[in-house]
Every structure is written in structure tokens, then in C-alpha cells.
């Protein structure tokens, strides 16, 4: 069985198979994406698909399946699995058999208390080699160990130049007065929630600065939050030795607007 798979079935190269009969192939290059399912709808599927295929292009590999078949493959899996709520993983194993799989993975969504009072996080001195390519890397294993050791929601990467980049499984935004500040798109894995947050901010007339963020700047920010597939927009209460205001008005406005965008997507999809 594929490690991390919790579903009864796995879509393997466009065919449905029982999960107990499917094993992950041995390969050093694994590209993937995670899509949240809500009310049976794969949220922001088009954006996830574009990022999934963009990883192939950046790595110099051809598409594993035509773009227009990814949606039908995913819907076939959801139908057999009878999955209405949860997270699914789409995976491409380069130069291996099987090469393409879809299966359900465990998820952990923030509680109401976390959205209200924020979460704790810490810094982690590391950086992705190719941040725009979503692939399995040893750095994520090290980050997970640090998350467990420090009992935090996530760790935020700080590079060798002392620049704050992204969370190990999230993107991070800071609030400075009436502006949002986040690392430049060239230096991070641009998450779908990050893209939608920036779009929402622009629609609301909120200034968004995408730039290098020095670790020495963190003390000047009023608030901070994570964005991601599972957490959506999640306030940060503590980051390292710095504390922030989880109920900052700008953060709450972004949360409300993001949730509305999500609901609108579901209604349009249905």
C-alpha cells in the first residue's frame, strides 16, 4: 500500500484499483499536489492542475497525462471512493510504473479556536532548492521533525541571507498597517491559497507587497497569517519570539473574503 494513503481505492494510470494492491514505485523524483474536497467539490481544481503541470515544465519533463483528463480522472476517483470531505493527493512518479496516482490522505483542519486565537510557529533555517516545483524533498522531512519537536503548527523557512520565505506546508503573510507583505513569488512555492489571497486583497483595494522580507523586520509587523490548502487563511499568534494580533481587522477581512470565495466556487461548480 502507498505510504500515507487512507482511501479504499487508488486511481492508477487512469484505472481504479483497490488500495491494498497498490505500492509506490521506487524513484527519486516525485511530483505531487494536494487538493481539498468540500461537499464533493475539488476546490480550485483548475489552479491546482496548472501548478501540477507547471512543475513538470520547470523540471523539464513532459506531461504525464493531458490536462483535460486530470479532472475526469479525479472525478472518477471521488465517485468510487464516495469522498465528499477531505484531502486527495495527485502524484507523478517520474520514470517509474505506475507513473500517475490519485488517493486520499489524512487531513488536519484548524479548529475554531485556532482561527480565533491564532497558532504558534517557529523559524527553521532552510530553503527549497527549486521553490516553484512541488516535489517530495528531504527538507520537508526535517521540517516535520522540527514541527513535532517544538509542538507548533508549522515552521517558516529562513534562507542563508536571513530572508523569511515560506512555511514548510504553507505560505506566510505579514500585516504592516494597511498593507500585506509576503515573499516574492520567485522565492517560494506559490500556493493556491496564496494566489487567491492576493487576488482577494487586490479586489478589496488592499496593498500587497511581494518582496524580500528580512528576519530583522519581523518585529515591525502588526499581524501575520498562514495560507494553505487545509488551513485556508489562519492567523499566527506567535512566530519564534514574536507575538502578533490574531484578530487584526485586516486579517479578519481576508478570512471572510476567502471563505466567501470558496463558497462561491462550490456553488458555481455544483
Amino acid at each position: 500500500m502507498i505510504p500515507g494513503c487512507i482511501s479504499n481505492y487508488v486511481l492508477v494510470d487512469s484505472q481504479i484499483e483497490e488500495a491494498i494492491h497498490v505500492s509506490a514505485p521506487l524513484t527519486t523524483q516525485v511530483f505531487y499536489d494536494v487538493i481539498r474536497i468540500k461537499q464533493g467539490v475539488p476546490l480550485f481544481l483548475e489552479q491546482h492542475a496548472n501548478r501540477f503541470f507547471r512543475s513538470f515544465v520547470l523540471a523539464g519533463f513532459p506531461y504525464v497525462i493531458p490536462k483535460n483528463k486530470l479532472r475526469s480522472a479525479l472525478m472518477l476517483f471521488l465517485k468510487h471512493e464516495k469522498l465528499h470531505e477531505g484531502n486527495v493527493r495527485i502524484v507523478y512518479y517520474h520514470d517509474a510504473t505506475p507513473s500517475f496516482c490519485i488517493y486520499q490522505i489524512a487531513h488536519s483542519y484548524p479548529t475554531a479556536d485556532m482561527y480565533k486565537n491564532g497558532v504558534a510557529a517557529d523559524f527553521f533555517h532552510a530553503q527549497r532548492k527549486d521553490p516553484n516545483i512541488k516535489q517530495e524533498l528531504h527538507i520537508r522531512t526535517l521540517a516535520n521533525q522540527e514541527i513535532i519537536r517544538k509542538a507548533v503548527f508549522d515552521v517558516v523557512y529562513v534562507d542563508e541571507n536571513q530572508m523569511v520565505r515560506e512555511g514548510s506546508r504553507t505560505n506566510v503573510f505579514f500585516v504592516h498597517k494597511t498593507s500585506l507583505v509576503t515573499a516574492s513569488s520567485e522565492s517560494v512555492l506559490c500556493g493556491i491559497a496564496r494566489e487567491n489571497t492576493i487576488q482577494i486583497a487586490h479586489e478589496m483595494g488592499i496593498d500587497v507587497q511581494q518582496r524580500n522580507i528580512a528576519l530583522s523586520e519581523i518585529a515591525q509587523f502588526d499581524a501575520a497569517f498562514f495560507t494553505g490548502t487545509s488551513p485556508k487563511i489562519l492567523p499566527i499568534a506567535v512566530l519564534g519570539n514574536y507575538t502578533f494580533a490574531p484578530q487584526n481587522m485586516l486579517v479578519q477581512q481576508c478570512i471572510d473574503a476567502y471563505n466567501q470565495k470558496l463558497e462561491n466556487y462550490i456553488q458555481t461548480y455544483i
Side-chain angles (χ1 to χ4, degrees):
M1 193 165 181
I2 298 176
C5 173
I6 65 169
S7 50
N8 296 313
Y9 298 96
V10 176
L11 184 135
V12 181
D13 295 335
S14 300
Q15 300 295 321
I16 294 292
E17 297 187 19
E18 292 186 359
I20 58 174
H21 300 311
V22 182
S23 299
L26 296 176
T27 178
T28 58
Q29 291 185 300
V30 181
F31 301 88
Y32 73 98
D33 213 321
V34 175
I35 302 175
R36 182 169 178 172
I37 310 301
K38 186 175 177 64
Q39 298 178 34
V41 175
L43 299 177
F44 308 123
L45 173 58
E46 299 79 11
Q47 291 171 278
H48 280 284
N50 287 336
R51 182 174 66 174
F52 185 57
F53 287 107
R54 185 167 63 242
S55 292
F56 300 153
V57 174
L58 293 174
F61 299 139
Y63 291 164
V64 58
I65 61 171
K67 272 190 176 183
N68 60 356
K69 289 189 177 181
L70 178 59
R71 181 182 184 277
S72 59
L74 177 57
M75 298 312 293
L76 177 63
F77 167 75
L78 295 179
K79 178 181 178 180
H80 276 78
E81 190 62 27
K82 297 182 173 60
L83 182 61
H84 298 283
E85 304 283 338
N87 286 2
V88 299
R89 198 171 194 251
I90 55 176
V91 190
Y92 169 54
Y93 303 99
H94 177 61
D95 197 24
T97 302
S99 62
F100 176 68
C101 292
I102 299 177
Y103 53 88
Q104 184 184 7
I105 59 174
H107 64 269
S108 178
Y109 300 144
T111 64
D113 181 72
M114 290 178 176
Y115 283 113
K116 179 181 179 181
N117 298 313
V119 296
D122 207 346
F123 296 108
F124 185 57
H125 289 267
Q127 183 180 7
R128 300 178 197 265
K129 181 181 178 181
D130 297 301
N132 289 144
I133 301 176
K134 192 172 179 68
Q135 57 184 319
E136 290 187 350
L137 298 169
H138 183 56
I139 185 177
R140 178 64 182 273
T141 301
L142 297 177
N144 286 341
Q145 293 172 353
E146 194 75 355
I147 289 169
I148 294 171
R149 187 177 72 85
K150 294 187 174 181
V152 293
F153 181 82
D154 200 1
V155 291
V156 176
Y157 295 146
V158 178
D159 69 17
E160 59 185 5
N161 297 314
Q162 300 300 297
M163 295 296 169
V164 177
R165 295 304 185 189
E166 59 189 325
S168 71
R169 54 191 179 190
T170 57
N171 289 113
V172 61
F173 285 76
F174 297 96
V175 176
H176 184 237
K177 297 181 180 179
T178 59
S179 298
L180 296 182
V181 183
T182 191
S184 61
S185 58
E186 295 80 12
S187 63
V188 299
L189 177 64
C190 296
I192 306 308
R194 176 187 184 274
E195 292 180 2
N196 287 326
T197 298
I198 291 173
Q199 180 184 11
I200 287 168
H202 287 157
E203 291 171 354
M204 294 192 296
I206 299 171
D207 175 53
V208 180
Q209 301 174 21
Q210 299 185 60
R211 61 174 177 81
N212 286 334
I213 303 171
L215 185 59
S216 58
E217 289 184 70
I218 303 302
Q220 75 180 29
F221 296 126
D222 306 307
F225 59 85
F226 287 124
T227 61
T229 296
S230 291
K232 300 184 293 185
I233 294 180
L234 180 64
I236 300 172
V238 178
L239 177 56
N241 295 323
Y242 303 96
T243 58
F244 300 105
Q247 297 187 32
N248 174 274
M249 184 174 66
L250 201 60
V251 175
Q252 294 303 315
Q253 288 176 344
C254 289
I255 289 175
D256 291 342
Y258 188 94
N259 288 338
Q260 186 59 58
K261 183 179 181 68
L262 188 151
E263 291 303 320
N264 290 344
Y265 183 90
I266 292 174
Q267 293 305 314
T268 301
Y269 199 95
I270 294 175

